[in-house]
Amino acid sequence: MVNQKNKGSNGEKTCLKGIGWLGFGLGANTAAVDVKDGKIIRIRPFHYEDKYKREHMKPWKIKARGKTFEPTMRSLIPPFSIVYKQRVYSKNRILYPLKRVDWDPAGERNTQNRGKSKYARISWDEAATLIAEELQRVQKKYGPYSVLAAADGHGEGKCIHGPHGCQTHLLDLLGGYTLQARNPDSWEGWYWGAKHVWGTDPVGQGIQNNLWLDCSENTEMMLFWGCDPETTPWGWSGQAASRLCYWFNEIGIETIYVCPDFNYGAAAHADKWIPVRPNTDSALQFAIAYTWITEDLYDKEYVATHVHGFEEFKKEVMGETDKIPKTPKWAEDICGVPARIIKALARKWHKQATSTAHCNGGSYIRSTYSHEPGRLEVCLLGMQGLGKPGRNQLKMIEWQFFALNEQMPGPRSEVIPNVAGAYHGWAFTGNESLIPKTLIPQAITTEEPFTWYGSSIAGFPKEDQFVQYKFPIDDKNSTLHMIWSDEPCWTTCWNGGNRMIEALRSPKMECIVCQQPWMENDCLFADIVLPINTKLEEEDISTDVYAGEFNLVYHEGQCIEPLGESKSDYEAVGEVAKKLGLYEEYTKGKSIEEWVKEGFDHSGIENMISYEEFREKDYYVIPTADGWENDPRGFGPFAEDPVVHPLDTPTGKLEFFSTDLAKYFPDDKERKPVPQWIPFGESHSESLLHPRAKKYPYLIVSNHPRWRVHANLDDCAWLREIPTCKVKGPDGYLYEPLWINPIDAKNLGIKYGDVVRIHNDRGWTLGGAYVTERIMPGVIYQDHGSRLDPIVAGESDRGGDNNLICPGMITSKNCAGEVTSGFLVGIEKVDVNELRAQYPDAFNRAYDAKSGLIIDAWLEEGK
Ligand SMILES: Nc1nc2c(c(=O)[nH]1)N[C@H]1C(S)=C(S)[C@@H](COP(=O)(O)OP(=O)(O)OC[C@H]3O[C@@H](n4cnc5c(=O)[nH]c(N)nc54)[C@H](O)[C@@H]3O)O[C@H]1N2
Ligand SMILES: Nc1nc2c(c(=O)[nH]1)N[C@H]1C(S)=C(S)[C@@H](COP(=O)(O)OP(=O)(O)OC[C@H]3O[C@@H](n4cnc5c(=O)[nH]c(N)nc54)[C@H](O)[C@@H]3O)O[C@H]1N2
Ligand SMILES: [Mo]
């Protein structure tokens, strides 16, 4: 098999490409792309052994309970990578620079028409000149911080061609900008809550070292709590987590799933499913603690030596503070789990060595007040001896985050490679002027300076949460007047999308530039759109440190020529730099070839293989480290001796009572020093216990999409034909599935394939009914990230973009996190013909017969 480029005589070649969506310089999902006559023929798994022998790779072995677990010898790419050809050749690709037809920088800007107006083709020269002139004009008039760089996102994993953040390098050269600070979206509850109990920077999940081995040898019960290891690892870790879960099944670890939906991991692996209402986990957790305390079933010795503030926590559990004893019966009514099951689970957890498993935690840690379930889980683990054999918190994806922290749950490789030397995109760093991403709509619409706590940048140390920030940072009139975005999907992915649309149409916002490969989502609100190419159209260098089996560094050859006039983000920003006379500074005078070498030179493998051999072979497999089996395991060292191996908390112990929260936020009623039961409060009213539930009686679960990575991939016909990806409505339109239990469906007169409206006081969107017992009654489920198809932009949508109607408020008063799932909605069946009569423009947009995808609706005819 040919795994490399340029090996055929008839224009055939094969390039390695990391087809994953991490978006910040790290590849994943290493695939082989076969190309013939300048066209992509197929994308397939890649075989490590083509150029390297097993003896070199030193494949690891985990032996446990009489069985053996070993790595495969090929990349475990997900279906997404395999279908990516369709995303590259999508009809939805932006092929030329575009300008909104009624945006005239010299005259009327018609900001109110964003989301309605069409676009016309312009030249690169015109586009780059316009952007350069607008930047200079706006910065001169309002100061440098009036330009917002929206420069983050999980776009393609490109390194040299940095999919997000290239513009920040140019803006730095221009004297500054305001950064949209990428908040810890993936980890909100761990970040704002758990960190203060177990001190685990950078993101707040548990210490991971060597946990595959620990779990394999010692864990008797694994609780997949808000976790779908058969779906979300696909984004960048491929299918290694799937194999790991089959292995756990094989060696007899009892597998319990706690989630409102019977998700794909549960379907493949669960011994038992415990359905829980969305974002009521803390009631369940409190009731487990109550059972342990009242039945004397916790590790008292461990608590005495390893925990700070247990007595205060106990008061909260027993109801001494709020007059609510957190009994299983009390919890049953709230979370929907029968009291007998809560008690049985609690008793089993005590008796058997139990670990929890998460990808990132799901909506369990992405809803209102998510710091409470986040830290309650740590308290529960603590009560049963966190770090003792088989008792840890295992993470199923994003192994690299922990690798950077020198932690690997799986067998460690000799080095953890890093090609950041060649990277041009965003990094988890600060900026003088910044605004948490969750506060952007407020920042745009407000005239007054405002403050918040914590930069909110994912991965920052916990002390950052105690710092007060302000916008604008100077006292001048430097509020936002221009946006330059390379992740135009705020409306599909963040908190309160309709509010964002309102902000984007503000007359204050004089110029919006978006750059991305596909005409979708926030691009419809831009004034200038730049056509970006996909990574298959460029040369680059990459690592794969997510696969969980072997770590790699590889050269990525150019597969095909860029489509239309598209360029990479790095090159697109370069065009603007040229107009500003800053091209040399921007590129540091280096060619792409020189950047590839630069990436290699500091990658960690530069002393393991020569550059010449690396380029000849095109990749390097890093051998498994000798002695990895002996590495400490998770919280093992802390469990053994908390004095010698203290945690990174003020007392060095598990802080059930947080010293820091008591010190810095003594008056915060929404995040007290001790975890509490808080269904609603000053910031939120998204609970069935709140009077608002009379009007909006269902809780919606909005998971990471099964068949997309957020806003990525919604235009691949091969995916869209899958019945759980789209549901064909009576009008033939492919609606985003909305799972509803047969009991609710019957009550509401809904059957499979009906079009359903989901609504609340923030607007409405549509879905295609998918009636199934895989969702518990009273709860509906619709994935997030479906393409925006505005009916009345800012109010209603046909595409199933439920982020438009999720809460705009942040996690809680002093935590600028997102709340994007587990909120109240009403649902009802609708008649599409009536809607068509009412909104003819939106319902008569032409779509492609094969993919059902709206294509040219936004382009001016003939352009
Ligand atoms: N309802 C709900 N909402 C959620 C969540 C949830 O659980 N439920 N989860 C949250 C989480 S954890 C996350 S991480 C966020 C994700 O939110 P984002 O990171 O904002 O979402 P992505 O779709 O990954 O963003 C990538 C964007 O970049 C584009 N893109 C891809 N490649 C390139 C490229 O090479 N160049 C350019 N310029 N653009 C490119 C894609 O088309 C897409 O628009 O969503 C959050 N939102
Ligand atoms: N296919 C695919 N893979 C991805 C991504 C993607 O968009 N698509 N995104 C990537 C990113 S950025 C991230 S952060 C990770 C996210 O990984 P996760 O955080 O694990 O993903 P989620 O889909 O939000 O949630 C996982 C599961 O939580 C359960 N759940 C939902 N709400 C609740 C609740 O209130 N309580 C409980 N107990 N369970 C609940 C659901 O069963 C759901 O399947 O995935 C990454 N990988
Ligand atoms: Mo995420």
Side-chain angles (χ1 to χ4, degrees), residues 21 84 87 152-156 158 163-164 182 185-187 236 362-363 366 437 486-490 492-494 515-518 520-521 532-534 569 702-704 709-712 784 802-803 806 818 820-821:
W21 294 267
Y84 206 61
R87 183 75 164 151
D152 53 83
H154 286 303
E156 294 182 341
K158 293 165 173 163
H164 307 293
R182 176 75 181 207
D185 44 58
S186 315
W187 312 284
W236 40 78
S363 317
R366 247 170 258 126
K437 190 160 183 177
D486 58 26
E487 54 83 47
C489 60
W490 206 108
T492 328
C493 294
W494 295 86
Q515 58 187 60
Q516 84 141 351
W518 304 276
E520 54 194 22
N521 303 321
I532 301 303
N533 58 22
T534 67
D569 292 272
S702 177
N703 291 338
H704 286 216
V709 181
H710 311 293
N712 297 282
H784 106 98
N802 53 60
N803 279 62
C806 68
E818 67 168 43
T820 47
S821 188

Side-chain angles (χ1 to χ4, degrees), residues 186 226 232 258 261 263 279 281 359-360 362-363 366 704-705 708 710:
S186 315
T232 52
V258 185
D261 53 329
N263 65 30
N279 198 26
D281 299 84
C359 291
N360 287 329
S363 317
R366 247 170 258 126
H704 286 216
R708 291 183 294 273
H710 311 293

Side-chain angles (χ1 to χ4, degrees), residues 214-486:
D214 180 56
C215 292
S216 299
E217 288 180 353
N218 303 310
T219 299
E220 293 166 294
M221 177 165 79
M222 182 86 76
L223 295 174
F224 288 80
W225 201 307
C227 180
D228 183 356
E230 290 293 343
T231 295
T232 52
W234 285 3
W236 40 78
S237 314
Q239 315 221 31
S242 170
R243 288 195 78 225
L244 185 66
C245 291
Y246 279 109
W247 160 247
F248 288 157
N249 284 151
E250 194 186 329
I251 55 174
I253 297 179
E254 203 169 337
T255 301
I256 315 262
Y257 276 68
V258 185
C259 40
D261 53 329
F262 188 69
N263 65 30
Y264 297 84
H269 305 288
D271 290 302
K272 185 171 178 62
W273 171 38
I274 301 182
V276 61
R277 287 194 191 110
N279 198 26
T280 60
D281 299 84
S282 47
L284 171 58
Q285 293 164 313
F286 266 122
I288 291 172
Y290 184 93
T291 310
W292 288 342
I293 291 169
T294 51
E295 298 186 9
D296 208 13
L297 296 179
Y298 64 99
D299 193 335
K300 285 210 184 103
E301 268 173 47
Y302 180 98
V303 167
T305 46
H306 291 67
V307 172
H308 169 75
F310 184 71
E311 286 310 312
E312 280 91 341
F313 175 69
K314 197 169 155 186
K315 282 185 199 154
E316 210 59 51
V317 177
M318 303 313 289
E320 286 174 36
T321 41
D322 60 0
K323 309 276 178 290
I324 307 175
K326 313 289 183 305
T327 67
K329 185 68 203 130
W330 162 83
E332 169 173 335
D333 295 339
I334 296 166
C335 69
V337 183
R340 66 185 161 80
I341 298 209
I342 301 178
K343 284 187 232 163
L345 177 67
R347 289 168 192 154
K348 223 167 143 50
W349 186 337
H350 169 67
K351 210 161 123 199
Q352 301 185 342
T354 299
S355 285
T356 52
H358 302 283
C359 291
N360 287 329
S363 317
Y364 160 55
I365 54 93
R366 247 170 258 126
S367 193
T368 63
Y369 308 118
S370 56
H371 32 68
E372 301 311 295
R375 53 190 175 148
L376 275 162
E377 178 171 321
V378 184
C379 296
L380 295 186
L381 287 165
M383 285 178 76
Q384 298 301 339
L386 171 71
K388 289 190 169 180
R391 297 182 184 269
N392 275 289
Q393 186 196 58
L394 174 66
K395 196 165 157 51
M396 308 299 299
I397 54 166
E398 261 160 15
W399 291 312
Q400 167 72 11
F401 267 100
F402 293 89
L404 288 174
N405 223 21
E406 293 173 358
Q407 297 179 21
M408 286 295 277
R412 183 165 50 83
S413 61
E414 277 179 11
V415 295
I416 293 157
N418 189 337
V419 289
Y423 175 52
H424 287 114
W426 65 281
F428 289 98
T429 52
N431 192 47
E432 204 181 7
S433 174
L434 57 82
I435 301 168
K437 190 160 183 177
T438 49
L439 293 174
I440 295 294
Q442 179 180 340
I444 294 175
T445 41
T446 190
E447 289 299 330
E448 297 302 314
F450 67 101
T451 59
W452 66 91
Y453 281 92
S455 68
S456 89
I457 294 175
F460 266 34
K462 51 197 158 310
E463 290 71 25
D464 178 52
Q465 294 181 25
F466 313 134
V467 179
Q468 193 177 45
Y469 288 78
K470 177 177 152 207
F471 183 80
I473 50 168
D474 49 13
D475 290 320
K476 293 191 221 105
N477 175 24
S478 57
T479 59
L480 302 172
H481 292 276
M482 178 168 176
I483 299 177
W484 190 349
S485 169
D486 58 26

